[in-house]
Structure formats: C-alpha cells, structure tokens
Amino acid sequence: MPDIVLTGLRGTDPRDVLAAQGLLAALSEQPKGAKIRKMRTAPTLRWTLDDPLALRPILHTSGTKWDLEAVLGVLDVDRAAWVESPVLHGDVEDLTLSVADAARWLAAIADADDPVLMGMARSLIDPDPLHLTSTGLVGRTPLHFTSGKQRWVRAARQLGEVTTPDHLRSALLDGTEKDDTLPSLRWGIEDSRSYGTSRVAPATERAARPVGKEWLAWRGLAAQPPAAPWPRGPMGFRWLLHAKPFDVEDLRRLNAAIAGTAPDVPMGIGPLMGGWAPVHRAEHGYGHFGGGAALRLAGSGPDRRRQIYVAFHVPGELVSPIPPQDIPLGIPEVAEMFSVERGTVDKWIQRGIMWPARWKVGGTDAWSYADGVAWGKQTGRW
C-alpha cells in the first residue's frame, strides 16, 4: 500500500507527536477485547525532516487493503476496547493515588491478563513505594499536570467515549474537527501558558481542541517508557523525529533512551530531530508546558556545531517579528550550537564579544541563529 502522509500532524507540536505514536501503537497492539484483523507485518512510522516547517509523519502498512478507511476502522475498534478496559473503566478517576489505591487499580488491570493494558498502566504511574511524592502519593507521568485539576482518568475516558471516526480522520489529515465542550489533556503548543495568574482554572476553561488528536495523544502514552521517579530538574516531554521507519517496539526503545531509562540512542538510525516541552508546576497543582523548547537535527555527523535548530514555541511577546528564515536562540541553544558550556556563553556576553541580541522574548534576550552563524565564521568558532 502507498504510504499515508499524515498532513494533520506536526512534529513541532507535542500533542501531535504523541498522537502519531498513538496511531502506531493502536495499529500494532490492541486490548484483548478488540477484534481486529491483524496486519501481516508490523506497521511503521517515519517523519519527513527535509523541511523544518513541514515535519510530517508517514505511516506505512502492509497489504493493499490497508487504506486510510481501514486504518480508521482499526483505530475506532481499539478506542472502544480501551473505553471498556479496566484502565479507564473502573473506580479510578484520577492518577493522584495512594499506594493502596494504586495497588488495587493495578490488581484489577492484572486480572484482565492483558500485557497491553498493564504496559499502559506502567506508563502512567510508578507504584514503587520508594518513589513516592512528598505528599505520599505514587509517582505519575509529568503529563498529568498540564490538565490542571481535572480528573485525569475520567477526562481520558470521556474523550474516548465521544471520539468518532470523523474525529480521527480529521486528526490525521487536517486537525479541523474541534470541540469546546470536552475535557482536554492540554498537550498542544497552544496550551503552553501559566495558570498562576489566570482567573480561570484549567478544569473549567473551555477552548475548541481537536478531539481526535487528544484521544490519539492519550493512546500514545502506551509507547512511552514506564513512569520513573520525578527528576530534581525540570520535568517534561522529550521526543525524537526519525527519518528511518520504526515499528512500535523500535519507538519504545527510542523513547526509553531519550527518557534516560535505557542506554543511549543507538547509532546508525539516520537523521533525527529532537524536541523538549518542559512541564512547569504551580503551587496550587496546575501545570503548563513552558518555553525554551527547540527541535535539533541530530545524528548527522560528529561536528555538533553544524546541527540545525528550529524554534517551535517562544513564550511571551516579541519586540520585533522573526523572519521566517531565522530562528531565535536562548543561552542554552547558543551553548549547544557551539558545543560549549553555558558559562562560556555568559562570559561571551559579559565581555561583549558575542553578537548582539536581536529580540526580547518574555523579557529575556534572544539571539538570531543566522547572526550566530555569521559571527561564528568571522571568529573561527564555526
């Protein structure tokens, strides 16, 4: 079957990346209750990386009968099976669980004797008593916090209950099918905002969001590694876009590597682009995606200074517009651009030898990538 270019999904949006991973997971493995004709060979997914402004996933399925309509049919059956599964259909309404509550939830899932369900549960919570939070609750995925004080499991179940094949088709092709009456997990780049100064809590604020993407993004958590203890530093979601076709097991290994729960990303898998969407938590429990994220071309050779940066989210207001061919950089990106420590960049700034900042982003200086290349060549650092 010809490849399906998923024009509705973008590699610059964390929700879309999770949705692409959810698509691959749903086509590859379903709960036992889903009666789906299996593919002869595992479906694969890859990303177009030649145009940084049009990073799109490409799905490949085996057999001539696996067209888009057949794919949508599998996604819908898979969705229905998850809604009725013990992961979503039970007494648990949220992921803020005590050790005892988590044990009962996992026991109910284990009774189903389905490794697909248990794999999802382990991506959502970390039941290890040695990894409890400061309030005595089990650890959970950092992506839980972006939904604010919504009951997370119930919100996911509601999304699954109402998602239709038309929602899924729109998610894959154009992303225009939206709804403002449903809960949202708030993993899109439009959700990158702080609720610390908001008068409206995330649980009550309504905005039209692509329902199909929201559901597939939740499904994409099945391709993430098991939930791990929260780091002392920033929490968030990291991802890599790969030009080589990956099946779901390849994807799991890659996700585990970049999450730090497995060895480094293996060499020889072709060009990669990586993204980072940090999750910031407020004192009252809300969370949001923060700025400073960028896509970086990796694995293209030993000379890291030739890597390409593509900014996809810049919080705050810009003093002047950024030309489409240019890219704003913060101090961390400048440091990576020239393979130096951040302290070195600070010294360049203090000594007045670095090229001047061109913009203000959220009150902080931002430097032009194009100016940096010219400066690097002039000073012999590039």
Side-chain angles (χ1 to χ4, degrees):
M1 191 205 87
D3 292 342
I4 303 176
V5 181
L6 307 174
T7 52
L9 301 177
R10 300 169 296 168
T12 53
D13 191 322
R15 178 183 55 211
D16 288 15
V17 173
L18 280 168
Q21 296 186 6
L23 166 68
L24 186 62
L27 295 178
S28 304
E29 52 191 25
Q30 303 85 28
K32 286 186 175 180
K35 299 185 181 302
I36 297 175
R37 177 169 57 90
K38 300 296 183 181
M39 298 184 184
R40 293 180 182 176
T41 59
T44 60
L45 190 81
R46 62 185 176 88
W47 291 82
T48 60
L49 304 183
D50 51 333
D51 183 357
L53 299 180
L55 303 170
R56 300 284 188 256
I58 299 177
L59 174 70
H60 178 77
T61 58
S62 60
T64 57
K65 295 183 179 180
W66 284 100
D67 58 8
L68 178 61
E69 294 305 313
V71 167
L72 293 173
V74 172
L75 294 181
D76 193 48
V77 174
D78 174 80
R79 173 204 59 78
W82 276 102
V83 170
E84 296 300 321
S85 76
V87 175
L88 293 180
H89 190 77
D91 296 333
V92 170
E93 296 276 274
D94 202 3
L95 293 183
T96 52
L97 301 172
S98 66
V99 174
D101 289 339
R104 283 192 292 270
W105 187 49
L106 292 177
I109 295 172
D111 287 343
D113 190 26
D114 189 340
V116 173
L117 301 183
M118 186 57 71
M120 173 66 91
R122 292 304 305 270
S123 294
L124 301 181
I125 66 170
D126 176 12
D128 192 332
L130 298 179
H131 299 158
L132 299 181
T133 69
S134 59
T135 57
L137 302 175
V138 298
R140 51 202 181 274
T141 170
L143 292 175
H144 167 269
F145 293 103
T146 60
S147 61
K149 292 190 177 296
Q150 298 177 102
R151 295 199 175 274
W152 195 89
V153 176
R154 183 171 64 187
R157 182 173 66 246
Q158 289 176 319
L159 285 170
E161 289 172 343
V162 303
T163 298
T164 67
D166 285 340
H167 289 139
L168 295 169
R169 179 185 290 104
S170 175
L172 300 181
L173 299 182
D174 55 36
T176 58
E177 191 80 17
K178 298 182 179 182
D179 194 298
D180 63 356
T181 65
L182 299 172
S184 170
L185 302 176
R186 302 179 186 277
W187 294 338
I189 54 174
E190 73 270 22
D191 298 310
S192 185
R193 54 166 292 187
S194 172
Y195 290 96
T197 58
S198 176
R199 296 183 179 181
V200 181
T204 57
E205 183 186 45
R206 296 298 183 188
R209 287 177 173 81
V211 181
K213 288 186 181 183
E214 293 266 343
W215 169 253
L216 288 176
W218 181 87
R219 186 66 174 86
L221 293 178
Q224 295 299 307
W230 295 338
R232 293 186 177 182
M235 297 186 299
F237 172 54
R238 295 178 176 87
W239 68 92
L240 284 175
L241 310 180
H242 41 92
K244 180 180 178 179
F246 276 16
D247 62 24
V248 70
E249 290 303 325
D250 294 331
L251 183 59
R252 281 201 180 98
R253 287 190 288 269
L254 182 67
N255 287 338
I258 63 178
T261 59
D264 290 340
V265 178
M267 298 299 293
I269 60 176
L272 299 169
M273 274 190 170
W276 160 243
V279 174
H280 299 301
R281 293 178 59 195
E283 293 182 0
H284 41 59
Y286 299 157
H288 68 282
F289 276 139
L295 287 177
R296 185 185 66 183
L297 186 64
S300 56
D303 190 352
R304 294 184 62 193
R305 292 177 299 176
R306 298 299 187 269
Q307 293 171 347
I308 301 173
Y309 291 80
V310 183
F312 66 83
H313 173 67
V314 181
E317 296 296 328
L318 293 171
V319 174
S320 58
I322 299 175
Q325 71 274 14
D326 206 351
I327 301 161
L329 305 175
I331 290 177
E333 290 76 32
V334 172
E336 286 203 54
M337 179 178 177
F338 290 97
S339 300
V340 299
E341 299 293 330
R342 292 182 58 171
T344 301
V345 179
D346 290 332
K347 291 179 181 178
W348 290 348
I349 297 172
Q350 293 169 4
R351 295 173 182 173
I353 63 175
M354 198 165 107
W355 74 97
R358 183 171 291 195
W359 307 287
K360 286 283 187 181
V361 180
T364 304
D365 285 338
W367 289 265
S368 160
Y369 174 82
D371 289 352
V373 172
W375 176 82
K377 291 178 178 179
Q378 182 180 3
T379 60
R381 294 181 172 87
W382 184 264

